[in-house]
């Protein structure tokens, strides 16, 4: 996986990593606390399968088919979401469809998915892995590229309320730990 991979290839790799964590979660671990205050492991999956379909369809008319509910089957809910998003990215017409949002501007659907969703899946992979005691397996190069892209807009990101206060990490920490500290997680 490289930061400059196509949106389809990048999603395939990132969603595949999240899928590995989802599939490796023991049935009793879905209610384990996650690093996001007030969330459980199940809530991490719930977040990803609930916010994005409406965002995508509202800005483009492109729909991702709904899967089963997260409460009933978080693994099947995630698989349906990941497969649906991948199908959009693998479809040349759907992926090139115009996406427009007053907060983000206009761009092709594949760019919107990559910019707003795939990065969210990447960061929440760490949360789910932490909640369930699994190794995160995140790519350090991609984490470094994401951090480099986010640091210049830190004030805007913090103002959005989507990120907690930055957590200090050692200067020699790996890029994944620096990214997690930037978004308000304590990697230690």
């Amino acid at each position: 996986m490289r930061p400059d991979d196509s949106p389809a290839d990048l999603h395939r790799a990132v969603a595949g990593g999240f899928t590995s964590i989802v599939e490796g979660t023991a049935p009793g671990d879905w209610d384990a606390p996650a690093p996001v205050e007030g969330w459980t492991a199940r809530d991490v999956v719930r977040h990803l399968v609930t916010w994005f379909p409406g965002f995508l369809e509202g800005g483009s008319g492109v729909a991702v088919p709904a899967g089963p509910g997260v409460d009933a089957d978080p693994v099947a809910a995630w698989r349906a979401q990941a497969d649906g998003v991948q199908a959009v990215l693998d479809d040349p017409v759907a992926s090139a469809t115009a996406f427009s949002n007053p907060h983000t501007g206009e761009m092709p659907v594949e760019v919107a998915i990559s910019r707003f969703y795939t990065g969210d899946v990447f960061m929440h992979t760490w949360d789910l892995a932490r909640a369930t005691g699994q190794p995160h397996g995140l790519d350090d190069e991609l984490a470094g590229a994401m951090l480099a892209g986010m640091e210049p807009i830190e004030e805007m990101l913090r103002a959005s309320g989507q990120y907690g206060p930055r957590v200090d990490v050692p200067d020699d920490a790996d890029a994944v730990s620096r990214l997690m500290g930037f978004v308000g997680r304590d990697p230690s």
Side-chain angles (χ1 to χ4, degrees):
M1 165 181 7
R2 295 168 18 118
D4 59 351
D5 282 348
S6 74
D9 289 342
L10 187 59
H11 178 266
R12 188 174 290 105
V14 169
F18 191 82
T19 299
S20 294
I21 305 297
V22 167
E23 291 175 346
T25 299
D29 286 344
W30 286 111
D31 294 321
V36 179
E37 188 175 333
W39 282 17
T40 64
R42 183 183 315 272
D43 293 327
V44 174
V45 175
R46 182 185 330 279
H47 165 72
L48 292 171
V49 302
T50 57
W51 81 265
F52 185 69
F55 177 78
L56 179 65
E57 189 168 9
S60 67
V62 174
V64 175
V70 174
D71 289 326
D73 191 343
V75 176
W78 169 251
R79 283 184 188 140
Q81 170 89 359
D83 291 347
V85 172
Q86 194 64 52
V88 169
L89 289 166
D90 289 340
D91 179 332
V93 173
S95 65
T97 298
F99 173 89
S100 182
N101 180 289
H103 303 290
T104 64
E106 190 166 313
M107 64 198 74
V109 159
E110 69 177 1
V111 173
I113 290 172
S114 192
R115 186 173 295 165
F116 303 111
Y117 177 72
T118 303
D120 202 35
V121 174
F122 184 84
M123 290 185 282
H124 286 303
T125 298
W126 189 89
D127 293 328
L128 186 59
R130 278 294 172 106
T132 60
Q134 299 178 67
H136 59 70
L138 294 173
D139 182 82
D140 213 50
E141 181 182 0
L142 181 56
M146 288 176 65
L147 181 60
M150 294 169 78
E151 285 180 320
I153 57 171
E154 180 172 6
E155 187 175 310
M156 180 186 74
L157 293 173
R158 299 263 179 252
S160 75
Q162 300 297 313
Y163 301 96
R166 183 186 274 234
V167 174
D168 290 330
V169 297
D171 291 339
D172 63 348
D174 61 72
V176 171
S177 296
R178 291 192 321 273
L179 176 63
M180 291 302 108
F182 178 85
V183 300
R185 310 295 195 271
D186 185 353
S188 62

